[in-house]
Amino acid sequence: MPKHAHVASVDYAALDDHALVALVRGGEREAFRHIMQRCNQRLFRVARAVIGDDSEAEDVLQESYMRAYDNLDSFRGDSALSTWLTTIVLNEARSRLRKRHAMVGLEQVDAAPDDTHQIIRFPSKFGSEDPAAFAARTQIRHLLEHAIDELPPGFRVVYMLREVEECSVEETASQLGIKAETVKTRLHRARRLLRSSLHDRLAGTMGEAFPFMGQRCARVTNA
């Protein structure tokens, strides 16, 4: 049977990570495309949390995938493939920060927050809802993205791994090379900063809630 016919018959979506890695090692590059599609969301969020910029986060992702592909033989399966890839992404993102002389020490991050104003683009799972609900959800998401982006980098990446990607405390600590207690502390502080930020952003709109003006006011007044 021709090789392309065999490749076309493979149900990549049904394969686990180890099976996909075995296929890539066997020369089936299409299997690596499926690994990327399976891991893209998490890895972009991690890169974006560290690097602070959408475009550069994509560059980090591309470079990380190239490194992963070239070094796939070093993946032993002791951890999940996504964990192994996340480590590569973190290393690449941090390397870029060091090169542009903007790496903030973790001890400094715990003590002093800093601000950035980029937006993290999270794909929505609710594209089938009605336009009004989708628009409202989009506005809420933008508020949350801005608030997350204003977290200090060390807090932001912990929040992204724990709350958005739902990694365990232990996995997050292992990925970032910090203690489990540090993960808990930074997550607590990140939540507190987010609550404060969102409260400040929403407070200015409270007086505009449930408006009863214009035609609605005139209708009742006339009646």
Side-chain angles (χ1 to χ4, degrees):
M1 178 182 294
K3 184 177 179 180
H4 65 82
H6 168 68
V7 172
S9 67
V10 175
D11 183 6
Y12 293 104
L15 299 177
D16 64 19
D17 292 341
H18 295 282
L20 287 173
V21 168
L23 287 177
V24 176
R25 286 172 174 166
E28 294 193 17
R29 300 177 67 178
E30 183 65 19
F32 195 76
R33 177 189 297 273
H34 284 262
I35 289 174
M36 293 172 68
Q37 291 173 343
R38 190 172 291 181
C39 298
N40 269 340
Q41 178 70 93
R42 171 174 174 170
L43 297 182
F44 173 76
R45 285 171 168 170
V46 169
R48 180 61 181 72
V50 174
I51 211 72
D53 178 80
D54 284 359
S55 178
E56 194 166 3
E58 290 185 19
D59 290 343
V60 166
L61 215 56
Q62 292 287 350
E63 182 64 29
S64 297
Y65 278 133
M66 290 175 63
R67 291 180 185 276
Y69 188 88
D70 291 339
N71 295 280
L72 202 58
D73 286 341
S74 67
F75 174 66
R76 303 302 179 191
D78 298 330
S79 60
L81 180 60
S82 60
T83 300
W84 183 72
L85 290 170
T86 298
T87 300
I88 295 175
V89 168
L90 284 168
N91 288 338
E92 175 63 21
R94 287 167 172 168
S95 175
R96 287 184 179 235
L97 285 180
R98 284 192 295 270
K99 287 177 181 177
R100 71 185 190 194
H101 306 289
M103 185 65 179
V104 179
L106 291 179
E107 68 285 351
Q108 293 174 284
V109 166
D110 285 334
D114 70 334
D115 294 322
T116 56
H117 300 283
Q118 301 291 327
I119 298 177
I120 305 170
R121 303 295 182 184
F122 293 160
S124 172
K125 296 183 293 184
F126 303 93
S128 61
E129 60 194 342
D130 69 83
F134 178 75
R137 188 177 294 277
T138 299
Q139 289 181 328
I140 293 170
R141 192 181 79 244
H142 285 173
L143 283 173
L144 180 59
E145 288 169 351
H146 276 295
I148 291 174
D149 221 20
E150 290 175 348
L151 292 172
F155 295 176
R156 189 168 61 224
V157 69
V158 166
Y159 186 86
M160 195 70 70
L161 286 170
R162 287 284 290 118
E163 294 289 84
V164 180
E165 287 302 315
E166 299 181 340
C167 296
S168 67
V169 171
E170 292 73 20
E171 183 180 1
T172 302
S174 176
Q175 294 270 215
L176 300 179
I178 58 180
K179 296 178 181 179
E181 283 304 313
T182 305
V183 170
K184 295 176 183 178
T185 298
R186 291 184 185 173
L187 179 59
H188 174 73
R189 292 181 180 176
R191 287 170 173 165
R192 187 174 59 194
L193 288 170
L194 283 175
R195 282 197 298 269
S196 176
S197 175
L198 290 172
H199 177 272
D200 291 344
R201 291 178 187 277
L202 294 173
T205 65
M206 289 300 183
E208 301 173 5
F210 305 108
F212 197 80
M213 301 174 68
Q215 292 184 350
R216 297 177 69 195
C217 177
R219 184 175 63 252
V220 172
T221 301
N222 292 335

